[in-house]
Amino acid sequence: MRTLLAAAALAAAMPLAAHAADYTQLQTARSKVGFSFTQMGVTLDGHFERFDGELRFDPGAPESARAVVEVELASIRTGMPDADAEVAGRSWFNIGEFPRARFESSSVKALGGERFEVSGALTIKGRSLPVVVPASFAVRDGVGVFEGEFVIRRGDFAVGEGAWAHFDVVANEVRVRYQISATQ
């Protein structure tokens, strides 16, 4: 009888143990970092092909989560090779001096329903500013998937200097979308 009770207790505890997991291995091949912007009244989409980072997320203790994501700015793809070359230059990303953008979390707030607010610092072109990034989390086929989007103002980071500092041709707001996959 004791063996049966112990087996039942173990079986009952297994689903709880399955939820207490740290997702720490970023899966860049399954992840995406994209954006959209408006140029001359037309919304255009793009993405970055190369990024990496560090992640620690336990769905049972989201307040202890930590994330660092770095994006290689030269890997930008706007669908227009000339535009990709232009934004690499000094007036835009200045990748010779600032090759990467970086987000580093400082806190995570659970909102309920597998939704979270991730606060942290976003650094582009050497300028670090606080941002709040909304995120949803789901486990799909054993992979933890974080998704969300947020808006930044390119002018805050001096992305688009000189003649591009005005927002009449290229709008100030850039919508960033991400899907980050991680395993245990």
Side-chain angles (χ1 to χ4, degrees), residues 31-90:
S31 300
K32 302 174 195 170
V33 176
F35 58 90
S36 59
F37 63 100
T38 303
Q39 181 172 325
M40 295 172 48
V42 177
T43 299
L44 302 168
D45 295 314
H47 68 277
F48 292 94
E49 291 185 330
R50 291 184 298 278
F51 52 91
D52 58 23
E54 300 173 17
L55 178 68
R56 187 186 74 236
F57 180 77
D58 177 351
E63 65 284 347
S64 65
R66 175 162 164 64
V68 175
V69 177
E70 290 193 346
V71 175
E72 188 176 318
L73 296 173
S75 75
I76 192 170
R77 298 297 176 261
T78 62
M80 300 170 282
D82 290 345
D84 297 347
E86 174 71 25
V87 297
R90 290 186 66 85

Side-chain angles (χ1 to χ4, degrees), residues 54-56 65-69 103-108 118-122 131:
E54 300 173 17
L55 178 68
R56 187 186 74 236
R66 175 162 164 64
V68 175
V69 177
F103 171 77
E104 184 169 354
S105 68
S106 56
S107 68
V108 176
V118 182
S119 297
L122 178 62
V131 294

